[in-house]
Amino acid sequence: HLLNIINDILDLSKIEAGKMELSESPIEVDELIAWSLAFIAERALHARVALEMNCEATASLLWADERMLKQILLNLLSNAVKFTEPGGSVTVTQYQAGPEDLEIQVRDTGIGIAEADLAKVLTNFGQIESAQNRQREGTGLGLPLVKSLTELHGGKLTIESQPGRGTTVRLFFPGRRMIRPAA
């Protein structure tokens, strides 16, 4: 756990210093999502949270850094499972958004975030103080790191949330990162 925290801090420091470099290759997005869900499955089972995956029938290839995409998905899935009560669910959806962009969406039925607190959770070490949140471990680095790694790929992150109803995090990767099959 401490090693993960140190690595997150180092990655954020590299990004802020402009020293983080992408090691890009073609990534099969649906396979990466399936791997990430399998990786977090035991934690979800222990928390009694259902995991679901919805991907378009056509596989999407993305020119990206695989280690960073795994880090993005694992941070989002860890948060989603951590902040979802037993009996809830976490769903990862992947599809082409509009004519160009690839969207990956992580939606949970968890405790949610008040609109006034959304900006805070995207700042380094930004954590919301509440009785529900104090029961859960965290450093406040996951979402800022996800946002930075997504932006490093030329993408963007949005968050929609309502207390008691859950959170949806959307990642948009630009069409120039999509690898289209040859005609």
Side-chain angles (χ1 to χ4, degrees), residues 7 11 16 57 60 63 103 113 119 124 130 139 171 176 178:
N7 285 332
D11 283 347
E16 289 172 1
S60 296
W63 186 253
E103 180 177 340
I113 305 166
N124 294 346
S130 75
T139 59
L171 307 169
R176 63 182 159 75
M178 300 276 296

Side-chain angles (χ1 to χ4, degrees), residues 91-95 103-107 168-171:
T91 305
V92 182
T93 305
Q94 168 263 307
Y95 56 92
E103 180 177 340
I104 299 172
Q105 183 182 111
V106 177
R107 185 178 71 244
T168 301
V169 178
R170 288 183 171 88
L171 307 169

Side-chain angles (χ1 to χ4, degrees), residues 51-115:
L51 297 177
E52 299 174 33
M53 176 177 158
N54 295 318
C55 291
E56 284 188 334
T58 57
S60 296
L61 282 175
L62 190 66
W63 186 253
D65 186 304
E66 184 174 10
R67 182 188 71 83
M68 290 183 194
L69 284 184
K70 284 180 180 177
Q71 194 170 11
I72 287 168
L73 285 170
L74 291 177
N75 270 307
L76 291 177
L77 289 168
S78 292
N79 277 354
V81 169
K82 179 177 14 176
F83 291 104
T84 298
E85 299 295 334
S89 65
V90 173
T91 305
V92 182
T93 305
Q94 168 263 307
Y95 56 92
Q96 191 168 342
E100 291 285 323
D101 296 346
L102 174 74
E103 180 177 340
I104 299 172
Q105 183 182 111
V106 177
R107 185 178 71 244
D108 67 57
T109 59
I111 64 173
I113 305 166
E115 189 173 338

Side-chain angles (χ1 to χ4, degrees), residues 126-157:
Q127 293 184 301
I128 301 165
E129 289 299 319
S130 75
Q132 288 180 315
N133 287 348
R134 273 184 240 123
Q135 300 168 7
R136 295 160 169 92
E137 288 183 24
T139 59
L141 292 174
L143 283 174
L145 183 58
V146 166
K147 182 177 186 289
S148 295
L149 293 175
T150 302
E151 290 172 351
L152 196 59
H153 283 85
K156 74 174 189 175
L157 172 145

